[in-house]
Amino acid sequence: MQQRDTQPILIVEDSEDDFEATMRAFKRTNLRNPIHWAASGQEALDMLATISPRPGLILLDLNMPGLDGRKTLEAIKSNTHWHKIPVVILTTSDDERDIEGCYALGANTYVQKPVDLDGLFAAIQRLKEYWFEIAILPLEE
């Protein structure tokens, strides 16, 4: 088993329904990586400080109560232990200010979350193919 098959994925999503749909999509792609769920930005930062091995990829929703995705992204990318972890923004927003702002803060990819389940499954399949079959992720330091 390759190292990238064992790197966890951290999904930061306040909607349990959206998290469950994303999980179903990953299962359909036969992804073997462990998945951790944080229901808020603060929970995600707390998990990053404690889980090992660290995630190989973070899927981050933008619009969450409390510490939103923008502030969470900023905290991740400004932390020397976490800044290399690729962060994929997965959100319903197609607002140009969100897109520009997230890339300015260090997001690796910005994906508008499809509204229907088939679209979500297709998007997750492509994310899995790219991040876990094509891209080479940084190893844990």
Side-chain angles (χ1 to χ4, degrees):
M1 190 178 296
Q2 294 182 351
Q3 186 257 351
R4 60 184 170 186
D5 289 338
T6 62
Q7 280 184 293
I9 297 170
L10 175 58
I11 299 175
V12 187
E13 170 62 67
D14 62 317
S15 163
E16 188 170 354
D17 289 342
D18 285 359
F19 170 73
E20 291 296 333
T22 304
M23 286 293 294
R24 283 198 306 278
F26 273 129
K27 281 189 178 115
R28 187 181 276 193
T29 68
N30 297 315
L31 186 84
R32 291 190 294 272
N33 303 65
I35 295 180
H36 298 282
W37 176 35
S40 70
Q42 188 57 57
E43 188 179 336
L45 298 180
D46 293 345
M47 287 178 89
L48 283 170
T50 59
I51 58 175
S52 182
R54 75 167 191 215
L57 183 68
I58 298 171
L59 298 182
L60 178 61
D61 185 27
L62 280 188
N63 300 313
M64 298 180 291
L67 193 66
D68 71 4
R70 295 157 199 81
K71 296 276 189 225
T72 304
L73 175 63
E74 189 173 10
I76 292 166
K77 291 301 183 178
S78 64
N79 182 298
T80 56
H81 299 292
W82 308 332
H83 72 274
K84 289 183 188 174
I85 302 171
V87 177
V88 174
I89 304 300
L90 188 59
T91 185
T92 54
S93 172
D94 65 351
D95 187 311
E96 196 60 41
R97 292 167 301 190
D98 285 337
I99 297 165
E100 292 287 329
C102 287
Y103 280 117
L105 290 171
N108 297 84
T109 304
Y110 191 103
V111 176
Q112 186 179 13
K113 198 184 297 180
V115 290
D116 63 285
L117 213 49
D118 288 340
L120 178 65
F121 286 169
I124 294 297
Q125 175 69 40
R126 288 193 292 276
L127 278 172
K128 182 223 176 210
E129 288 168 358
Y130 179 76
W131 287 105
F132 292 96
E133 296 170 20
I134 297 170
I136 298 173
L137 301 175
L139 295 175
E140 185 158 13
E141 291 154 1

